[in-house]
Amino acid sequence: MRFLWLLAALLQGCVYVPRTATAYDERCNAHYREMTLQPYQIAQFAGSCNHRDCAYLLAALGAVTAASVVVSGSIVVAGNVVYWFEKQGHCVANA
């Protein structure tokens, strides 16, 4: 029973997702894309729990949030490297 409650609680909380936006560089006269991390709240935690259960729940939610930051952060870094090379190519082509 506790496992199911904990599993349901893990589906709630906050995660970080990569977001792509388009920007304009006046110096290069080109549009380019860039990625950022955006926090996304899935749902709010509402319920009662015992002291020990709350500690386990908070630790699990922290682990889920940390894992989403690591995975999404890696995607953002890799995407921005690719977009940076793409932007440099547009700058050279427009020069």
Side-chain angles (χ1 to χ4, degrees), residues 7 9 13-14 23 25 31 33-34 38 46-47 57 60 63 74 78 81 87-88 95:
L7 184 62
C14 231
D25 187 359
H31 290 277
R33 293 179 288 182
E34 61 185 6
Q38 179 178 7
L57 178 63
S74 299
V81 167
K87 179 183 171 185
Q88 298 307 312

Side-chain angles (χ1 to χ4, degrees), residues 4 13 18 38 44 48 59 64 69 75 81 87 91 95:
L4 292 177
Q38 179 178 7
Q44 286 193 6
S48 61
V64 169
V69 168
I75 292 169
V81 167
K87 179 183 171 185
C91 280

Side-chain angles (χ1 to χ4, degrees), residues 20-25 27-35 77-95:
T20 303
T22 304
Y24 180 73
D25 187 359
R27 187 175 52 99
C28 292
N29 193 25
H31 290 277
Y32 66 96
R33 293 179 288 182
E34 61 185 6
M35 295 183 84
V77 169
N80 280 337
V81 167
V82 170
Y83 292 152
W84 182 82
F85 281 115
E86 184 180 75
K87 179 183 171 185
Q88 298 307 312
H90 286 289
C91 280
V92 170
N94 288 339

Side-chain angles (χ1 to χ4, degrees), residues 22-67:
T22 304
Y24 180 73
D25 187 359
E26 292 180 12
R27 187 175 52 99
C28 292
N29 193 25
H31 290 277
Y32 66 96
R33 293 179 288 182
E34 61 185 6
M35 295 183 84
T36 58
L37 278 180
Q38 179 178 7
Y40 181 73
Q41 185 173 358
I42 297 172
Q44 286 193 6
F45 170 69
S48 61
C49 57
N50 296 334
H51 296 291
R52 192 173 84 188
D53 292 340
C54 285
Y56 292 147
L57 178 63
L58 290 175
L61 289 174
V64 169
T65 301

